[in-house]
Amino acid sequence: MAGWRRTGEERHRLRAEVFAVAHAARRLAAELEAEAQQEPWRQPAWSHQPRPEFGRPAAPYTRAALDVLYAAEQALAQAVAADRAAGQTWESISGALGVSVDTAARRYRQLPR
């Protein structure tokens, strides 16, 4: 019974991480849509020089996409934990990831909770 409980807890954590990815992606899409409604000279991509004092940080699109990437990496780590809790082997997980068994285990074995 404890195995099923752990699997359910890991699945719940995975669902939370996936919602975080969706939230980060929706936030980026909304920011891009709002920007597209502005005059071209007000859009960060039109500025070659960062101007933080005017709300134009360096590499704004890269920074925004990194939030989505970080959330996706967290979701992937939680998916591995959920699969392990459900009894999946490192061999099956490494095959899905496209990495060696050692790499998968080393990368995801000691995940913080």
Side-chain angles (χ1 to χ4, degrees):
M1 186 67 171
W4 286 104
R5 183 174 299 125
R6 182 165 178 258
T7 300
E9 290 169 0
E10 295 297 341
R11 193 172 39 248
H12 176 75
R13 287 186 187 109
L14 174 58
R15 186 173 58 238
E17 294 296 342
V18 170
F19 279 124
V21 173
H23 177 72
R26 280 192 306 270
R27 186 175 60 241
L28 176 56
E31 288 172 5
L32 291 171
E33 180 61 27
E35 179 181 292
Q37 302 304 317
Q38 296 182 17
E39 295 295 324
W41 62 273
R42 289 183 170 240
Q43 297 177 10
W46 287 84
S47 173
H48 299 291
Q49 298 295 323
R51 301 285 304 269
E53 66 274 18
F54 295 116
R56 289 188 294 200
Y61 301 130
T62 302
R63 290 173 185 268
L66 282 173
D67 289 342
V68 178
L69 178 61
Y70 176 74
E73 288 171 344
Q74 295 297 107
L76 177 59
Q78 191 56 54
V80 170
D83 278 341
R84 288 294 293 157
Q88 294 295 312
T89 65
W90 285 114
E91 289 80 15
S92 63
I93 292 169
S94 68
L97 292 171
V99 299
S100 71
V101 173
D102 289 341
T103 297
R106 191 171 50 250
R107 192 175 293 166
Y108 297 104
R109 182 172 281 138
Q110 299 298 324
L111 293 174
R113 298 269 180 241

